[in-house]
Amino acid sequence: MATCLGQQLGCLLLHWFLLQTVMVSSICSQGCPQRCECSAKYKSVSCQGKRLSALPDGISLDTKVLDLSDNRLRWVEHGDLLPYLRLEELDLSGNTISVLEPNAFASLQNLRTLSLRRNQLKLVPMGTFSRLTNLTSLDLSGNKIVILLDFTFQDLRSLRKLEVGDNDLVYISNKAFLGLVALRELTIERCNLTSISSQSLSYLRSLVTLRLRYLSISALEDQNFRKLGGLRGLEIDHWPLLEYISTHSLQGLNLSWLSITHTNLTSVPTSALRNLAYLTSLNLSYNPISVLESWALRDLVRLKELHMVNTNLVTIQPYALGGLRQISLLNLSTNGLVTLEEGAFQSVNALETLRLDRNPLACDCRLLWILQRRKTLNFDGAAPVCSSPVEVQGRALNAFSDSALFDHFTCQKPKIRNRRLQQITAREGQVVSFLCHAEGEPKPIIFWISPQRRRITTKSGGRLTVLPDGTLEVRYAQVTDSGTYICIASNAGGNDTYFATLTVSGLPLDAALMANRTYYAGDLNDTNHNDTRVSLKFTLDLKTILISTAMGCIMFLGVVLFCFILLFVWSRGRGQHKNNFSVEYSFRKVDGPAASGGQGGARKFNMKMI
Ligand SMILES: *[C@@H]1O[C@H](CO)[C@@H](O)[C@H](O)[C@H]1NC(C)=O
Ligand SMILES: *[C@@H]1O[C@H](CO)[C@@H](O)[C@H](O)[C@H]1NC(C)=O
Ligand SMILES: *[C@@H]1O[C@H](CO)[C@@H](O)[C@H](O)[C@H]1NC(C)=O
Ligand SMILES: *[C@@H]1O[C@H](CO)[C@@H](O)[C@H](O)[C@H]1NC(C)=O
Ligand SMILES: *[C@@H]1O[C@H](CO)[C@@H](O)[C@H](O)[C@H]1NC(C)=O
Ligand SMILES: *[C@@H]1O[C@H](CO)[C@@H](O)[C@H](O)[C@H]1NC(C)=O
Ligand SMILES: *[C@@H]1O[C@H](CO)[C@@H](O)[C@H](O)[C@H]1NC(C)=O
Ligand SMILES: *[C@@H]1O[C@H](CO)[C@@H](O)[C@H](O)[C@H]1NC(C)=O
Ligand SMILES: *[C@@H]1O[C@H](CO)[C@@H](O)[C@H](O)[C@H]1NC(C)=O
Ligand SMILES: *[C@@H]1O[C@H](CO)[C@@H](O)[C@H](O)[C@H]1NC(C)=O
């Protein structure tokens, strides 16, 4: 006991001595503070969870690793750590530190790792981290910091990893990150930030990974990450207010992985992903995206992994994965998918791992391609399971034998019922419907082809549309709608077609012309356009037309004659006896179909003067 006391006394004296001369010595390397564990080999001192309220005495001066986590330290003052010049790792997490003095760590120029996690810091004063030029990792998460001030980290030019999450951060000042030229990883989470300005991020030129989690940000500004050309991974997780990612918000990035999860996005942000040609992994899990649209990811030519777990996905359209030639892992676990057709892929050759479990799969011919590959595909320990038809309900796809293969997994080609010939003659303006009901397994999709070879589906707007039961409806029929319509019912088993013809008879010509005029007058109520009414209202007789034409001609000739007389008088008056002169004028058909001025438009009048 006495020797130990003596040793400690010696140490204290030595402290004092060192404070004066700033000289390093290792005479006292055997010392270990009471209640702490020390390792001479690693030069480490661990005082974790010892209820210490101040720095313990007896810490050896050449300590490299000091663990003071889960104690009751309340502040770090300038002098406290001054003697431990050799310190490389310092863990102060889980204390109640609320005050950091400027230059608190300034003497620890060999410090590599500093953790101040789970303390009571409200503010990090300027200069707190001054001179820590060798620091590579700093953890400030789990405090109560409200604002990050300008220049807070300006000396930390070796810092590679910074955690500022789980604070009450409401604002990050524009120059807060200035000086962090080596920062490679940044995590900001569980804050009250409503935006992250592109200017504050613009100082982080070396950033490789950026994680932004649990934030109440509702939109990303255009070019939010524009200066982060070196960024390889971006995580946007738990942003419940995010509903839309604009076209330019990811501009300037060259990511290899992107994760946008637990947001309120309802569709794949196709246009925002356009420039990410080097993306190899995309995680869109836990977003309410119910439809994966055709070519939604078309520009991600190097994509290898796509995760869309638990996104309420019910439809994967044909060519939804079009353009993804290298896709090798597809995780669609826990969705509402009834099927996954081979036609969704550009090519399934590269596919190695497929998770399709926890989907209400219909085991018909559409899943045959998976069944055929069931021995080579990796289901990641969770093979897809049939939900229907009832005969195979609950069976896993990899449990079928080869012989059972073609008893199940079949489709029934569509068959159009009631093939009565439909030939309809209608008047202009009427509503016309053609029936087309089809049966098949799976339920066929019905669309129509117009005489102009236009595809009409249930989504077509305008006068021609297809009702949910397959009926084609032509509203306000026009003469140009006449012709043969083809109904096509198609499913994975094949297709069936059926023809119908429509003849629309027009109105008498002049009445139709006038009818047109009434349309323009704003009297447009198509259901009211009865032929009789229209023709009664506007009948013009031939006499009127002839008289008005003749009047027009006489007027015209009169004007021309008058002009000639004027010219004649004028030339006489000037005494210039020219024998020839020509008059040019343009003649345009006023109401011609296409007032084509060139042909027969300009005419030349030549006149000889005597
Ligand atoms: C940083 O660490 C290196 C050794 O890795 C050392 O040579 C250098 O002096 C340290 N820098 C400072 C400012 O202490
Ligand atoms: C941050 O948000 C949480 C919960 O929304 C709230 O309890 C807290 O007071 C907010 N902090 C600040 C500084 O606004
Ligand atoms: C997400 O979007 C839905 C519908 O657009 C809306 O009802 C809901 O409130 C949104 N959720 C949040 C957290 O904003
Ligand atoms: C994008 O990153 C890839 C590596 O992931 C690199 O090969 C490529 O040159 C980068 N492109 C640009 C424009 O920086
Ligand atoms: C995708 O994101 C979800 C939700 O954040 C996460 O649980 C999952 O591990 C991620 N998947 C991969 C492969 O990173
Ligand atoms: C697919 O997603 C599930 C659920 O998130 C996860 O447990 C599994 O590890 C993922 N599999 C692969 C191969 O990513
Ligand atoms: C209908 O099926 C035939 C062969 O069965 C196929 O050639 C044709 O492309 C299909 N048409 C449509 C519109 O699906
Ligand atoms: C009615 O007006 C439309 C639009 O200007 C035109 O296309 C159509 O040919 C006109 N109909 C008749 C019968 O003149
Ligand atoms: C068309 O006329 C009918 C009956 O006169 C009327 O009920 C309807 O509202 C009118 N529609 C339009 C678009 O004016
Ligand atoms: C239009 O014709 C229908 C029958 O097609 C008739 O019931 C209606 O009374 C007519 N309306 C007018 C304004 O003439």
Side-chain angles (χ1 to χ4, degrees):
M1 281 295 138
T3 51
C4 187
L5 236 154
Q7 213 173 35
Q8 283 203 358
L9 207 72
C11 281
L12 278 175
L13 276 171
L14 201 69
H15 270 199
W16 179 82
F17 179 69
L18 276 168
L19 280 176
Q20 304 303 314
T21 62
V22 195
M23 205 184 85
V24 186
S25 144
S26 60
I27 297 165
C28 200
S29 59
Q30 264 76 34
C32 186
Q34 263 185 345
R35 295 193 277 173
C36 299
E37 285 139 39
C38 305
S39 153
K41 187 173 168 206
Y42 299 111
K43 297 194 165 46
S44 71
V45 176
S46 171
C47 310
Q48 194 198 357
K50 304 293 184 216
R51 303 182 186 191
L52 299 171
S53 53
L55 224 59
D57 292 329
I59 299 173
S60 162
L61 289 181
D62 62 356
T63 301
K64 286 189 171 165
V65 180
L66 178 56
D67 181 356
L68 293 167
S69 61
D70 300 316
N71 282 294
R72 292 170 180 173
L73 304 180
R74 293 174 60 191
W75 54 76
V76 182
E77 285 175 359
H78 175 50
D80 289 349
L81 296 157
L82 207 54
Y84 309 108
L85 303 178
R86 298 279 180 88
L87 224 47
E88 289 176 5
E89 273 180 44
L90 177 59
D91 190 348
L92 291 166
S93 61
N95 284 284
T96 52
I97 299 170
S98 57
V99 180
L100 289 176
E101 279 199 349
N103 297 318
F105 308 101
S107 59
L108 310 179
Q109 286 177 14
N110 288 306
L111 202 64
R112 301 278 162 76
T113 307
L114 174 60
S115 175
L116 287 161
R117 265 189 73 179
R118 291 186 288 113
N119 277 289
Q120 307 286 326
L121 293 171
K122 288 205 166 58
L123 193 72
V124 180
M126 218 154 79
T128 304
F129 303 118
S130 61
R131 289 195 259 162
L132 293 181
T133 50
N134 267 359
L135 198 69
T136 57
S137 167
L138 176 61
D139 191 347
L140 290 171
S141 60
N143 282 284
K144 297 190 157 42
I145 303 170
V146 176
I147 179 170
L148 287 181
L149 299 171
D150 281 348
F151 314 115
T152 300
F153 307 111
Q154 69 172 343
D155 281 354
L156 308 182
R157 69 176 94 100
S158 305
L159 200 71
R160 294 162 78 87
K161 187 166 188 249
L162 174 65
E163 310 248 356
V164 290
D166 227 343
N167 278 292
D168 292 337
L169 270 184
V170 290
Y171 186 65
I172 296 179
S173 178
N174 275 344
K175 288 180 181 156
F177 295 138
L178 188 135
L180 293 174
V181 289
L183 197 72
R184 296 173 66 83
E185 266 182 60
L186 175 64
T187 304
I188 300 175
E189 59 183 343
R190 292 180 213 273
C191 297
N192 298 16
L193 289 176
T194 53
S195 73
I196 294 182
S197 81
S198 60
Q199 208 204 323
S200 61
L201 292 174
S202 69
Y203 298 103
L204 307 173
R205 299 288 173 89
S206 308
L207 206 63
V208 175
T209 307
L210 177 60
R211 297 179 197 274
L212 304 168
R213 302 178 181 139
Y214 294 91
L215 300 177
S216 315
I217 297 176
S218 59
L220 289 170
E221 57 183 89
D222 270 2
Q223 310 196 339
N224 208 114
F225 308 104
R226 95 193 107 116
K227 296 260 176 74
L228 304 180
L231 201 72
R232 290 291 167 266
L234 173 63
E235 177 179 334
I236 289 175
D237 184 37
H238 281 99
W239 290 24
L241 302 183
L242 188 71
E243 294 186 349
Y244 173 70
I245 295 187
S246 75
T247 308
H248 302 293
S249 52
L250 302 179
Q251 218 170 42
L253 289 175
N254 180 16
L255 299 174
S256 44
W257 63 266
L258 172 64
S259 179
I260 303 175
T261 52
H262 291 109
T263 73
N264 217 357
L265 284 183
T266 52
S267 64
V268 175
T270 303
S271 57
L273 300 175
R274 201 169 47 207
N275 300 315
L276 302 178
Y278 285 88
L279 201 72
T280 56
S281 174
L282 176 63
N283 190 352
L284 292 173
S285 301
Y286 301 94
N287 297 302
I289 301 176
S290 56
V291 179
L292 185 57
E293 287 174 20
S294 300
W295 302 98
L297 304 163
R298 59 176 176 265
D299 302 302
L300 307 181
V301 291
R302 292 180 180 82
L303 199 73
K304 291 196 166 62
E305 288 186 22
L306 175 64
H307 302 266
M308 290 185 77
V309 176
N310 214 327
T311 62
N312 305 333
L313 210 53
V314 288
T315 308
I316 294 190
Q317 293 184 347
Y319 282 104
L321 305 170
L324 311 184
R325 291 168 190 283
Q326 302 185 19
I327 188 92
S328 66
L329 189 158
L330 184 60
N331 197 343
L332 298 171
S333 174
T334 323
N335 280 299
L337 291 171
V338 170
T339 195
L340 174 63
E341 293 190 57
E342 193 173 358
F345 294 82
Q346 177 102 43
S347 142
V348 291
N349 292 336
L351 195 66
E352 288 165 10
T353 306
L354 175 67
R355 281 284 299 258
L356 198 58
D357 57 302
R358 294 161 177 267
N359 281 287
L361 296 175
C363 285
D364 55 37
C365 66
R366 292 171 293 179
L367 293 185
L368 204 56
W369 72 273
I370 299 178
L371 204 70
Q372 282 159 351
R373 286 176 168 77
R374 70 192 184 284
K375 290 186 178 126
T376 50
L377 267 183
N378 174 6
F379 293 124
D380 188 30
V385 172
C386 302
S387 285
S388 67
V390 280
E391 309 92 74
V392 292
Q393 204 168 37
R395 283 177 69 179
L397 252 65
N398 57 0
F400 286 92
S401 67
D402 283 338
S403 57
L405 223 143
F406 292 98
D407 300 339
H408 312 291
F409 296 91
T410 53
C411 285
Q412 185 199 331
K413 191 173 173 291
K415 227 182 173 84
I416 294 172
R417 295 287 160 208
N418 192 6
R419 304 187 68 97
R420 186 172 53 83
L421 190 65
Q422 291 183 70
Q423 260 182 324
I424 293 181
T425 307
R427 291 230 199 87
E428 233 175 8
Q430 280 190 322
V431 178
V432 182
S433 309
F434 290 111
L435 306 180
C436 185
H437 299 311
E439 287 167 7
E441 200 55 52
K443 190 174 184 292
I445 291 165
I446 293 174
F447 61 94
W448 288 76
I449 305 286
S450 75
Q452 289 79 31
R453 307 238 143 252
R454 205 163 62 83
R455 201 180 149 109
I456 311 158
T457 68
T458 48
K459 295 208 182 78
S460 303
R463 291 187 305 112
L464 278 65
T465 188
V466 177
L467 303 180
D469 67 352
T471 302
L472 173 71
E473 195 177 80
V474 180
R475 277 174 291 152
Y476 319 128
Q478 297 197 346
V479 177
T480 48
D481 294 334
S482 303
T484 302
Y485 289 80
I486 309 166
C487 171
I488 298 178
S490 97
N491 71 8
N495 51 43
D496 194 9
T497 54
Y498 167 60
F499 300 86
T501 57
L502 173 65
T503 315
V504 180
S505 62
L507 307 169
L509 180 70
D510 54 352
L513 257 170
M514 291 311 188
N516 240 7
R517 211 179 288 171
T518 56
Y519 280 33
Y520 296 133
D523 181 29
L524 180 60
N525 191 336
D526 285 295
T527 53
N528 247 356
H529 268 282
N530 287 0
D531 299 358
T532 47
R533 200 195 79 189
V534 169
S535 48
L536 274 177
K537 219 166 150 186
F538 304 101
T539 318
L540 291 175
D541 56 335
L542 191 65
K543 220 153 85 186
T544 321
I545 296 173
L546 278 178
I547 288 173
S548 51
T549 313
M551 291 287 281
C553 281
I554 289 165
M555 292 272 286
F556 175 72
L557 283 175
V559 170
V560 170
L561 207 68
F562 181 68
C563 284
F564 276 131
I565 289 166
L566 270 184
L567 280 165
F568 183 70
V569 169
W570 173 73
S571 59
R572 272 285 155 107
R574 296 279 301 267
Q576 291 172 342
H577 296 277
K578 277 242 168 100
N579 277 351
N580 275 327
F581 75 90
S582 56
V583 179
E584 223 170 86
Y585 80 100
S586 269
F587 176 77
R588 277 172 199 277
K589 276 194 190 166
V590 183
D591 53 353
S596 53
Q599 246 185 355
R603 300 245 167 88
K604 230 176 217 176
F605 269 29
N606 284 324
M607 210 176 199
K608 253 200 166 112
M609 308 296 295
I610 307 160

